Amino acid sequence: MAEATPTRVFVYGTLKRGFPNHPLLVACACPLVGAASTTAPASLVIGPYSVPFLLPTPSSSSSGRVVSGELYAPSPAALAELDALEGTHIGAYERRPITVVADGSGEVVEAEAYYAHPSYAEALWRRCGGEAAEIGEYTADHAARYVPINERAAGAAGLMEAVHRFLDTAPDS
């Protein structure tokens, strides 16, 4: 009987090495597979609390950008911890398939990534500024403005409250 291929997770923001949520991957003994980038352009924007959001599908108005990040091989227990951090249980993110290419080797890898929930993703893309706001990499400058979950009102649920407030506020308000 063949062993199941372990899940690979592509991280593109606060979970990367040197970024605010990376200690969770360390605590879960989650092995780094290596640096990787999306094979197809994607839409990555920065929302409230300087949280990065990968959008489920690039808008028809956007050609997207290749997004860089890192690929990890979490255990089932680590994957559950990641799902909790990303708020999959409250509709903040969804873990969905993504195809990435390993930097250096060029190997194409089927993985999963945390995408902004489709219930608000398109509105978030528009409110952030659309294609002009898309980035290819979440940087240390973005992370310097990041507000950790434990510093937000209502923890992970506070992100969803902030997203809804952000979407309900006019850009020039």
Side-chain angles (χ1 to χ4, degrees):
M1 176 186 243
E3 286 187 32
T5 302
T7 300
R8 302 286 188 246
V9 174
F10 175 70
V11 301
Y12 51 83
T14 65
L15 285 162
K16 296 187 303 182
R17 288 172 293 173
F19 286 76
N21 288 323
H22 184 73
L24 176 63
L25 292 173
V26 173
C28 291
C30 193
L32 171 69
V33 176
S37 300
T38 58
T39 57
S43 294
L44 177 62
V45 298
I46 305 300
Y49 299 130
S50 199
V51 171
F53 292 91
L54 189 64
L55 305 180
T57 54
S59 165
S60 58
S61 306
S62 170
S63 55
R65 295 174 186 251
V66 170
V67 175
S68 64
E70 297 171 349
L71 196 60
Y72 287 85
S75 66
L79 202 52
E81 292 287 334
L82 291 171
D83 284 351
L85 172 75
E86 300 293 0
T88 59
H89 61 290
I90 60 169
Y93 288 90
E94 282 188 331
R95 185 165 35 92
R96 298 175 55 171
I98 191 168
T99 305
V100 298
V101 62
D103 294 358
S105 73
E107 178 187 3
V108 174
V109 178
E110 296 303 320
E112 294 180 346
Y114 290 94
Y115 289 84
H117 194 276
S119 64
Y120 67 86
E122 184 75 18
L124 180 67
W125 179 84
R126 284 191 310 271
R127 176 63 178 82
C128 284
E131 189 169 17
E134 292 175 347
I135 59 173
E137 182 177 10
Y138 187 79
T139 66
D141 288 340
H142 299 117
R145 294 184 296 274
Y146 175 75
V147 178
I149 290 174
N150 63 351
E151 294 178 18
R152 301 178 203 156
L159 175 61
M160 291 312 302
E161 291 171 13
V163 165
H164 292 295
R165 274 194 314 274
F166 181 68
L167 295 177
D168 291 340
T169 305
D172 55 341
S173 294

